[in-house]
Amino acid sequence: MRIAVLLCVIAACSKAPTKREDAAKPAVAPSAPAGARVFLATPQGELAVAVEVVKSDGALERGLMWRKHLPPDDGMLFLMGNERDWTFWMHNTLIPLDMIFITKDLTVAGVVQNAVPQTDTLRSVGAPSVYVLEVNGGWTAQKGVVAGAKVRFDAVEAYAK
């Protein structure tokens, strides 16, 4: 089911926005849940990102759409459910984002840097992943996050069930 919904989202990226999409704007942007964090190995040492964890079809589709702000060391962790070469777009996303694609063995498969907001360009890293971490645009370059970096989760397991 999740794959079918995501394929519909990808197929829809060539369509013009509709009034229904505008109605889907969240009233309040939720904050990262207490304790859920992703740790990334960098040249600066292990860095933590407080994450909002999403895995339901609706939350996966919505992602960070309509958000006007993301705190500096916060992000959204997508639990995709299966491993494949995922693609993301920024159609109704208002802020630039970096996308960190993570493999099932918790290694960074690749990074898309500074994805331009409100565009329909499909972005991927050309390698399979099962998690995707979105952070503020420019964060990965500033912190030195690159493909091959090791990743560790803390308090994310409760959301994976």
Side-chain angles (χ1 to χ4, degrees):
M1 174 68 177
R2 183 178 294 151
I3 292 173
V5 170
L6 289 172
L7 290 175
C8 289
V9 169
I10 291 169
C13 69
S14 63
K15 297 180 182 177
T18 65
K19 290 183 181 181
R20 183 168 185 228
E21 289 173 23
D22 292 339
K25 294 179 187 178
V28 177
S31 60
R37 295 180 296 175
V38 173
F39 292 89
L40 298 137
T42 73
Q44 302 172 31
E46 190 176 66
L47 299 177
V49 177
V51 293
E52 179 180 341
V53 181
V54 296
K55 76 173 210 166
S56 71
D57 291 342
L60 289 169
E61 288 176 38
R62 191 170 36 263
L64 288 168
M65 287 182 181
W66 309 115
R67 309 274 179 103
K68 294 180 180 177
H69 175 74
L70 182 63
D73 292 314
D74 282 10
M76 179 173 280
L77 179 64
F78 295 77
L79 307 180
M80 303 308 291
N82 61 345
E83 191 170 45
R84 66 176 243 204
D85 184 8
W86 292 102
T87 58
F88 280 61
W89 62 324
M90 301 281 289
H91 184 74
N92 292 319
T93 307
L94 305 177
I95 55 177
L97 296 173
D98 288 353
M99 300 169 190
I100 305 165
F101 293 78
I102 304 168
T103 66
K104 65 181 174 187
D105 68 352
L106 299 180
T107 301
V108 174
V111 177
V112 171
Q113 294 184 337
N114 277 311
V116 177
Q118 298 182 307
T119 59
D120 293 341
T121 304
L122 294 178
R123 294 160 179 92
S124 73
V125 294
S129 61
V130 70
Y131 310 101
V132 179
L133 173 61
E134 290 184 337
V135 294
N136 281 298
W139 191 90
T140 57
Q142 178 187 26
K143 305 295 186 182
V145 176
V146 296
K150 288 299 186 185
V151 178
R152 180 171 64 87
F153 293 159
D154 183 39
V156 170
E157 299 78 20
Y159 299 93
K161 296 178 182 175

